[in-house]
Amino acid sequence: SSYFPSWVMHCTERTFVAIKPDGVHRGLIGRTIARLEDKGYSLVALKLLKPSRTLAESHYESLRSKPFFGDLVSFITSGPVCAMVWEGKDVIGQVRKLIGNTDPLTCAPGTIRGDFGIDIGRNIIHGSDSISSAEREIQLWFHSEELVDWNPSLHEWVYEKV
Ligand code: GDP
Ligand code: MG
Protein backbone atom coordinates (compact mmCIF):
# COMPACT_ATOMS: atom_id res chain seq x y z
CA SER A 1 0.00 0.00 0.00
CA SER A 2 1.11 3.59 -0.58
CA TYR A 3 1.30 4.12 3.20
CA PHE A 4 4.68 2.35 3.26
CA PRO A 5 7.88 4.13 2.33
CA SER A 6 9.23 2.72 -0.94
CA TRP A 7 12.12 0.90 0.78
CA VAL A 8 9.78 -1.33 2.76
CA MET A 9 7.45 -2.11 -0.15
CA HIS A 10 9.32 -5.40 -0.65
CA CYS A 11 8.58 -6.40 2.96
CA THR A 12 4.81 -6.67 2.66
CA GLU A 13 4.35 -10.39 2.00
CA ARG A 14 1.60 -11.77 4.25
CA THR A 15 0.89 -15.18 5.75
CA PHE A 16 -1.95 -16.75 7.73
CA VAL A 17 -0.98 -18.22 11.11
CA ALA A 18 -3.34 -19.99 13.51
CA ILE A 19 -2.64 -21.24 17.02
CA LYS A 20 -4.72 -24.41 17.19
CA PRO A 21 -6.89 -25.34 20.21
CA ASP A 22 -4.05 -27.32 21.84
CA GLY A 23 -1.77 -24.29 21.67
CA VAL A 24 -4.45 -22.02 23.11
CA HIS A 25 -5.31 -24.44 25.94
CA ARG A 26 -1.62 -24.85 26.76
CA GLY A 27 -1.10 -21.12 27.08
CA LEU A 28 1.20 -20.76 24.06
CA ILE A 29 -0.40 -17.71 22.41
CA GLY A 30 1.93 -15.21 24.05
CA ARG A 31 5.14 -17.17 23.42
CA THR A 32 4.18 -17.85 19.80
CA ILE A 33 3.47 -14.19 19.12
CA ALA A 34 6.72 -13.27 20.88
CA ARG A 35 8.75 -15.52 18.54
CA LEU A 36 7.32 -13.89 15.42
CA GLU A 37 7.72 -10.39 16.87
CA ASP A 38 11.28 -11.23 17.96
CA LYS A 39 12.13 -12.27 14.40
CA GLY A 40 11.00 -8.83 13.21
CA TYR A 41 7.63 -9.64 11.66
CA SER A 42 4.54 -7.48 12.15
CA LEU A 43 1.03 -8.41 13.14
CA VAL A 44 -1.65 -7.33 10.65
CA ALA A 45 -4.74 -9.01 12.15
CA LEU A 46 -5.63 -11.07 15.21
CA LYS A 47 -8.77 -12.72 16.60
CA LEU A 48 -9.81 -15.56 18.87
CA LEU A 49 -12.68 -17.69 17.58
CA LYS A 50 -14.35 -21.07 17.61
CA PRO A 51 -14.29 -21.91 13.88
CA SER A 52 -17.42 -23.24 12.21
CA ARG A 53 -17.37 -26.67 10.57
CA THR A 54 -17.68 -24.95 7.17
CA LEU A 55 -14.63 -22.79 7.89
CA ALA A 56 -12.53 -25.71 9.20
CA GLU A 57 -13.49 -27.98 6.29
CA SER A 58 -12.72 -25.35 3.73
CA HIS A 59 -9.42 -24.42 5.43
CA TYR A 60 -8.30 -28.07 5.20
CA GLU A 61 -10.16 -28.91 1.94
CA SER A 62 -7.03 -30.37 0.29
CA LEU A 63 -6.95 -33.05 3.04
CA ARG A 64 -10.60 -34.08 2.67
CA SER A 65 -9.72 -37.59 1.45
CA LYS A 66 -7.28 -38.29 4.33
CA PRO A 67 -8.29 -40.78 7.06
CA PHE A 68 -7.59 -38.19 9.78
CA PHE A 69 -9.76 -35.45 8.17
CA GLY A 70 -12.78 -36.00 10.44
CA ASP A 71 -10.69 -35.90 13.61
CA LEU A 72 -8.80 -32.86 12.34
CA VAL A 73 -12.01 -30.90 11.67
CA SER A 74 -13.53 -31.92 15.05
CA PHE A 75 -10.36 -30.84 16.78
CA ILE A 76 -10.10 -27.46 15.05
CA THR A 77 -13.80 -26.66 15.55
CA SER A 78 -13.48 -27.45 19.29
CA GLY A 79 -11.62 -24.15 19.50
CA PRO A 80 -10.53 -21.70 20.52
CA VAL A 81 -8.26 -20.86 17.61
CA CYS A 82 -6.11 -17.72 17.60
CA ALA A 83 -6.16 -16.60 13.95
CA MET A 84 -3.55 -14.11 12.78
CA VAL A 85 -2.06 -12.46 9.74
CA TRP A 86 1.66 -11.65 9.84
CA GLU A 87 3.63 -9.51 7.43
CA GLY A 88 7.25 -9.11 6.36
CA LYS A 89 9.95 -10.09 3.90
CA ASP A 90 9.74 -13.83 3.07
CA VAL A 91 7.28 -14.27 5.97
CA ILE A 92 5.54 -17.33 4.46
CA GLY A 93 8.67 -19.48 4.19
CA GLN A 94 10.31 -18.12 7.34
CA VAL A 95 7.23 -18.80 9.50
CA ARG A 96 7.15 -22.38 8.16
CA LYS A 97 10.79 -22.72 9.31
CA LEU A 98 10.02 -21.23 12.73
CA ILE A 99 7.08 -23.65 13.07
CA GLY A 100 8.99 -26.79 11.99
CA ASN A 101 7.86 -29.98 10.22
CA THR A 102 4.31 -31.32 10.37
CA ASP A 103 5.36 -34.16 12.71
CA PRO A 104 6.77 -32.62 15.92
CA LEU A 105 8.96 -35.68 16.54
CA THR A 106 10.94 -34.82 13.39
CA CYS A 107 11.32 -31.12 14.25
CA ALA A 108 14.56 -29.54 15.34
CA PRO A 109 14.65 -28.15 18.87
CA GLY A 110 14.13 -24.40 18.66
CA THR A 111 11.17 -24.71 16.33
CA ILE A 112 7.70 -24.12 17.79
CA ARG A 113 6.50 -27.68 17.12
CA GLY A 114 9.92 -29.08 18.12
CA ASP A 115 9.84 -27.28 21.45
CA PHE A 116 6.18 -27.68 22.38
CA GLY A 117 4.69 -30.71 20.58
CA ILE A 118 4.87 -34.50 20.37
CA ASP A 119 1.93 -35.84 18.29
CA ILE A 120 1.16 -34.83 14.68
CA GLY A 121 -2.53 -34.32 15.56
CA ARG A 122 -1.55 -31.89 18.37
CA ASN A 123 1.09 -29.81 16.62
CA ILE A 124 0.12 -26.44 18.10
CA ILE A 125 0.14 -24.12 15.12
CA HIS A 126 -0.67 -23.65 11.43
CA GLY A 127 1.20 -21.53 8.87
CA SER A 128 0.37 -21.07 5.17
CA ASP A 129 2.67 -23.03 2.86
CA SER A 130 2.71 -20.83 -0.29
CA ILE A 131 1.70 -17.41 -1.63
CA SER A 132 -1.50 -18.85 -3.10
CA SER A 133 -2.52 -20.67 0.10
CA ALA A 134 -1.71 -17.57 2.18
CA GLU A 135 -3.98 -15.45 -0.02
CA ARG A 136 -6.73 -18.06 0.11
CA GLU A 137 -6.50 -18.58 3.88
CA ILE A 138 -6.34 -14.86 4.75
CA GLN A 139 -9.52 -14.29 2.70
CA LEU A 140 -11.18 -17.32 4.28
CA TRP A 141 -10.50 -16.32 7.90
CA PHE A 142 -10.63 -12.50 7.72
CA HIS A 143 -12.72 -9.72 6.24
CA SER A 144 -10.54 -7.17 4.42
CA GLU A 145 -11.46 -4.46 6.97
CA GLU A 146 -9.96 -6.62 9.74
CA LEU A 147 -6.49 -6.33 8.14
CA VAL A 148 -4.70 -3.33 9.61
CA ASP A 149 -2.36 -1.27 7.42
CA TRP A 150 0.28 0.27 9.66
CA ASN A 151 3.89 1.24 9.44
CA PRO A 152 5.85 -0.48 12.24
CA SER A 153 8.55 1.83 13.61
CA LEU A 154 10.87 -1.17 14.00
CA HIS A 155 11.04 -1.59 10.21
CA GLU A 156 13.88 0.88 9.87
CA TRP A 157 15.94 -1.26 12.32
CA VAL A 158 14.95 -4.65 10.89
CA TYR A 159 15.30 -3.87 7.17
CA GLU A 160 18.30 -2.37 5.44
CA LYS A 161 17.30 0.49 3.18
CA VAL A 162 17.77 -0.40 -0.47
P1 GDP B 1 1.15 -28.61 7.96
O1 GDP B 1 1.07 -27.70 6.75
O2 GDP B 1 2.57 -28.82 8.44
O3 GDP B 1 0.24 -28.18 9.07
O4 GDP B 1 0.69 -30.05 7.47
P2 GDP B 1 -0.47 -30.51 6.43
O5 GDP B 1 -0.99 -29.33 5.66
O6 GDP B 1 0.07 -31.65 5.67
O7 GDP B 1 -1.60 -31.08 7.39
C1 GDP B 1 -2.45 -30.18 8.08
C2 GDP B 1 -2.63 -30.71 9.49
O8 GDP B 1 -3.27 -31.98 9.46
C3 GDP B 1 -1.33 -30.97 10.26
O9 GDP B 1 -0.78 -29.81 10.85
C4 GDP B 1 -1.75 -31.97 11.28
O10 GDP B 1 -2.41 -31.33 12.38
C5 GDP B 1 -2.79 -32.78 10.51
N1 GDP B 1 -2.16 -33.98 9.95
C6 GDP B 1 -1.37 -34.06 8.85
N2 GDP B 1 -0.94 -35.32 8.64
C7 GDP B 1 -1.50 -36.06 9.62
C8 GDP B 1 -1.45 -37.45 9.96
O11 GDP B 1 -0.81 -38.25 9.30
N3 GDP B 1 -2.17 -37.84 11.05
C9 GDP B 1 -2.89 -36.96 11.81
N4 GDP B 1 -3.57 -37.40 12.87
N5 GDP B 1 -2.95 -35.64 11.53
C10 GDP B 1 -2.26 -35.20 10.46
MG1 MG C 1 -0.50 -27.33 5.43
Side-chain angles (χ1 to χ4, degrees), residues 17-156:
V17 175
I19 304 172
K20 299 180 187 183
D22 51 335
V24 176
H25 279 280
R26 291 180 55 196
L28 298 174
I29 294 175
R31 277 171 282 176
T32 300
I33 289 176
R35 288 187 183 211
L36 302 187
E37 285 184 333
D38 286 350
K39 174 72 177 169
Y41 290 131
S42 306
L43 198 51
V44 170
L46 168 78
K47 63 184 172 187
L48 192 72
L49 73 161
K50 196 174 271 200
S52 67
R53 174 160 293 270
T54 308
L55 175 56
E57 286 180 349
S58 103
H59 175 77
Y60 283 125
E61 70 186 4
S62 67
L63 300 173
R64 196 175 285 274
S65 63
K66 302 287 186 185
F68 56 82
F69 183 74
D71 287 345
L72 178 60
V73 169
S74 305
F75 175 60
I76 295 299
T77 55
S78 72
V81 167
C82 181
M84 298 178 277
V85 177
W86 286 86
E87 183 173 85
K89 187 179 189 177
D90 197 32
V91 69
I92 297 168
Q94 294 299 316
V95 164
R96 294 282 292 186
K97 282 190 189 170
L98 290 166
I99 288 175
N101 301 331
T102 305
D103 179 355
L105 292 184
T106 72
C107 291
T111 60
I112 294 169
R113 287 169 174 169
D115 285 352
F116 298 125
I118 296 175
D119 271 355
I120 196 166
R122 296 291 183 271
N123 64 4
I124 315 289
I125 184 168
H126 166 85
S128 306
D129 64 7
S130 65
I131 289 174
S132 61
S133 65
E135 284 172 356
R136 188 185 81 87
E137 291 166 4
I138 290 168
Q139 280 195 39
L140 188 61
W141 288 79
F142 287 96
H143 301 292
S144 59
E145 61 270 23
E146 292 178 301
L147 307 176
V148 180
D149 257 328
W150 61 297
N151 190 13
S153 56
L154 63 70
H155 270 184
E156 68 175 299

Side-chain angles (χ1 to χ4, degrees), residues 7-8 10-11 89 155-162:
W7 61 276
V8 291
H10 64 289
C11 310
K89 187 179 189 177
H155 270 184
E156 68 175 299
W157 305 108
V158 171
Y159 297 109
E160 181 180 23
K161 289 197 187 194
V162 287

